[in-house]
Amino acid sequence: MIPVFVDDITIASKSLDSIQRVKEELRAHFKLRDLGPTSWLLGVKIERDRAKRSLSISQRQYALDILERYGFANCDPVSTPMDPGLRLSADMCPSTPSAVREMQDVPYGQAVGSLFYLAVATRPDIARTVGNLARFSKSPGMAHWKAVKHLFRYIKGTLDYKLTYSPASSDELFTSYTDADHAGCPDTGRSTSGYVIKMGTGAISWSSRLQSIVALSTTEAEFVAAVSAGQEVLWLRNLLTEFGFDVSAASRLRIDNLSALSVAKNPEHHGRMKHLDLRFYWLRDEVAKGRIAIEHLRTSDMPADILTKSLAKPKVLEMVKMLGLGT
């Protein structure tokens, strides 16, 4: 595998001889600088512990840089990405000329944009919070900015977090989880979908997004979230097939809502969901084809929970560990 970003090339293979042969072939046509084993890639630090068969990725320096840039280098840390009792809404946007002037010099959009790279690269624990904050980039209020500052303080306290990948006890190539927060958006009544896919002990893919429709029930919200997760699972199966892995067995997708599980598995439950767009029935087809298998998982064991709602400190620490994050 040879991923390329502009003029940076990373070569990955199980065979050192194959890597050397590719480098020699490239040297025959281009002027190259061999930097040896990959330790940094696009601002992400890569560390290996071959004795433990583990690999860790982190963005400590990037986090330090954005803390310094926005004046939070010496802030006091907090233990949650967002206050668990806070529900941001459009009602908190500036509604008077004085409130608009108060926010004119606040770098809200730039700060949230800087946090996005952390959220998508190595920090799934902040993905839901960053996505929530981004909804108010057009007209943020002081309450929204206060939530951004809270997130910076959380990052300050978790600078040493790394995503660590090591062998897990499961016999699956990857494990996938999906969850939803029904009607979590106070402005639209829409739900938030969240999923996380792990390979070994660490998360390799995750998402936290507002759903495109208003779900009429928790069952509906969870089913729509499961469809999004299933699409990612199918893409990953195709990718791993290209890499030469055997993905003939069904990929198990874990969900903590029994009603949504029944809808995904059994056509006789069509009545309660027949108003949904036809594209949402795609998941049932994949289950029938044997490519995806839906399984129930207790809510207390659901790592995708942190991608759908704000949690208190004990639950945040539990979810962080499930995602493969730690120092």
Side-chain angles (χ1 to χ4, degrees):
M1 181 176 66
I2 310 177
V4 179
F5 181 78
V6 190
D7 59 352
D8 291 330
I9 300 176
T10 303
I11 305 172
S13 174
K14 294 180 179 179
S15 168
L16 290 176
D17 291 337
S18 297
I19 292 176
Q20 189 59 38
R21 184 169 61 253
V22 169
K23 289 194 290 187
E24 290 172 357
E25 291 177 359
L26 288 171
R27 281 198 186 96
H29 300 279
F30 307 100
K31 183 179 179 180
L32 298 181
R33 186 159 63 108
D34 189 349
L35 300 177
T38 305
S39 57
W40 287 90
L41 184 64
L42 303 180
V44 177
K45 186 178 182 181
I46 302 170
E47 300 173 277
R48 296 176 179 83
D49 187 334
R50 298 193 183 278
K52 295 182 179 180
R53 299 176 62 202
S54 69
L55 181 146
S56 299
I57 59 175
S58 60
Q59 290 176 284
R60 187 179 194 277
Q61 188 57 53
Y62 180 81
L64 283 170
D65 290 343
I66 60 175
L67 286 171
E68 180 71 32
R69 186 185 311 158
Y70 296 104
F72 295 96
N74 299 311
C75 66
D76 295 325
V78 295
S79 54
T80 60
M82 180 179 281
D83 187 333
L86 179 64
R87 295 189 73 191
L88 297 176
S89 70
D91 291 338
M92 300 172 178
C93 295
S95 57
T96 64
S98 61
V100 172
R101 286 193 298 271
E102 185 181 28
M103 291 298 298
Q104 279 180 345
D105 296 325
V106 174
Y108 185 92
Q110 299 94 312
V112 173
S114 297
L115 291 164
F116 253 109
Y117 189 37
L118 273 179
V120 302
T122 62
R123 295 295 299 270
D125 55 323
I126 68 171
R128 185 265 173 187
T129 301
V130 173
N132 195 356
L133 294 170
R135 297 173 198 168
F136 307 99
S137 294
K138 186 176 180 180
S139 180
M142 196 52 68
H144 303 122
W145 177 239
K146 184 178 178 181
V148 172
K149 292 193 288 185
H150 184 100
L151 179 54
F152 273 121
R153 293 172 63 194
Y154 173 72
I155 291 169
K156 172 70 173 180
T158 56
L159 280 171
D160 294 324
Y161 271 9
K162 305 173 184 177
L163 258 180
T164 300
Y165 306 96
S166 58
S169 56
S170 172
D171 59 350
E172 300 172 81
L173 274 176
F174 58 88
T175 53
S176 51
Y177 310 85
T178 178
D179 197 14
D181 176 33
H182 180 233
C185 177
D187 298 316
T188 64
R190 294 180 182 179
S191 307
T192 298
S193 293
Y195 68 74
V196 60
I197 299 176
K198 296 172 59 179
M199 186 168 282
T201 59
I204 59 170
S205 178
W206 56 86
S207 174
S208 176
R209 291 190 178 185
L210 203 63
Q211 294 181 359
S212 60
I213 62 171
V214 177
L216 301 181
S217 64
T218 301
T219 298
E220 189 173 318
E222 296 272 3
F223 182 73
V224 171
V227 171
S228 296
Q231 291 170 333
E232 184 73 2
V233 167
L234 195 61
W235 173 83
L236 188 57
R237 284 171 59 91
N238 292 336
L239 180 66
L240 291 173
T241 298
E242 292 184 15
F243 289 164
F245 289 92
D246 179 11
V247 294
S248 55
S251 299
R252 300 202 285 270
L253 176 60
R254 292 150 180 87
I255 186 171
D256 63 1
N257 184 284
L258 287 170
S259 295
L261 186 149
S262 297
V263 171
K265 281 186 172 182
N266 305 314
E268 60 264 26
H269 292 283
H270 169 78
R272 72 175 77 175
M273 308 289 281
K274 61 185 180 182
H275 59 282
L276 281 180
D277 192 292
L278 289 175
R279 64 193 174 95
F280 291 111
Y281 295 113
W282 167 87
L283 181 61
R284 281 217 304 246
D285 285 344
E286 294 304 312
V287 171
K289 292 174 184 175
R291 292 196 282 196
I292 296 176
I294 309 294
E295 293 184 353
H296 180 255
L297 184 72
R298 294 183 306 172
T299 301
S300 59
D301 297 327
M302 174 56 70
D305 201 27
I306 198 171
L307 295 166
T308 63
K309 60 181 73 72
S310 298
L311 303 173
K313 177 183 175 180
K315 199 66 177 176
V316 169
L317 293 175
E318 187 180 341
M319 295 293 106
V320 160
K321 186 176 180 180
M322 288 183 184
L323 293 170
L325 283 166
T327 56

